[in-house]
Amino acid sequence: MTNVLFNERADKIRRQVLSPAGFWLYLWKELPLAAFAGLRLRSLDEGGCTVMLRGGWRTQNPFRSTYFAAQAMAAEMSTGAPAMVLVRGSEAKVSMLVTRVSGKFMKKISGPSQFTFRDIGEMADTIERAAQTGEPATFVARSIGRNTAGDVASEFEVEWGFKRRD
């Protein structure tokens, strides 16, 4: 499948990130806390990005449910992985930074969960606008966390700032 949103350079990075061994090495090198928590990248294409968060003792709070910070980490990764691929694939040098995070919790998660971000096209447009105009741009990415039953358990908004570097 050809990904319209990802140019050749971005698609190469996307495929590397989707490699289980490549992703595992990247996490241990760059994000060891995410590696320890057991985050796994399940999908990343023009339709969205899904990150799995294993349940268990590494991510649970004293109430035996998944700690909110572990959920926030998975939500941020579901929005950050596509942002990183798009930024690294850009013709211009673009920096990216989380500028705000908010979360809403509806149900307890006490096992594996998944966090999905779908608006990659809009994110790509924002990054391209920042790259072309040189003006900083922000994008609010929404990640939905689901429990093993498929119920929406949490929703996160991760605001990303993008800026062309000279």
Side-chain angles (χ1 to χ4, degrees):
M1 174 179 152
T2 303
N3 285 290
V4 178
L5 294 174
F6 302 107
N7 63 25
E8 189 175 321
R9 181 177 23 201
D11 196 52
K12 180 179 178 183
I13 296 164
R14 184 188 70 83
R15 287 191 315 270
Q16 289 172 344
V17 169
L18 282 169
S19 158
F23 186 68
W24 184 83
L25 287 171
Y26 172 79
L27 285 184
W28 280 109
K29 181 181 177 201
E30 302 292 335
L31 300 166
L33 187 57
F36 183 77
L39 293 182
R40 299 287 183 263
L41 189 61
R42 288 293 178 234
S43 66
L44 173 53
D45 57 31
E46 63 189 20
C49 181
T50 298
V51 171
M52 301 295 294
L53 175 62
R54 295 189 319 194
W57 65 273
R58 289 182 175 129
T59 59
Q60 78 181 17
N61 62 28
F63 308 106
R64 300 202 187 278
S65 61
T66 302
Y67 185 52
F68 80 92
Q71 292 182 54
M73 185 169 40
E76 186 270 343
M77 184 172 288
S78 74
T79 65
M84 179 190 72
V85 167
L86 291 165
V87 161
R88 288 188 179 176
S90 176
E91 297 296 323
K93 290 184 178 183
V94 177
S95 65
M96 56 187 267
L97 179 68
V98 172
T99 56
R100 183 181 60 83
V101 176
S102 64
K104 182 177 169 184
F105 305 91
M106 286 75 77
K107 290 192 177 214
K108 180 178 180 174
I109 296 175
S110 56
S113 54
Q114 69 177 24
F115 291 78
T116 302
F117 164 64
R118 298 245 180 251
D119 299 322
I120 294 179
E122 291 178 39
M123 177 182 272
D125 291 344
T126 302
I127 293 168
E128 184 62 23
R129 186 172 65 250
Q132 294 299 319
T133 66
E135 296 295 318
T138 60
F139 179 77
V140 178
R142 187 166 175 243
S143 181
I144 305 297
R146 295 183 183 275
N147 60 20
T148 53
D151 299 326
V152 174
S154 58
E155 297 177 0
F156 285 86
E157 287 186 346
V158 182
E159 183 180 272
W160 286 95
F162 301 102
K163 183 178 176 184
R164 185 174 74 201
R165 296 182 287 170
D166 294 322

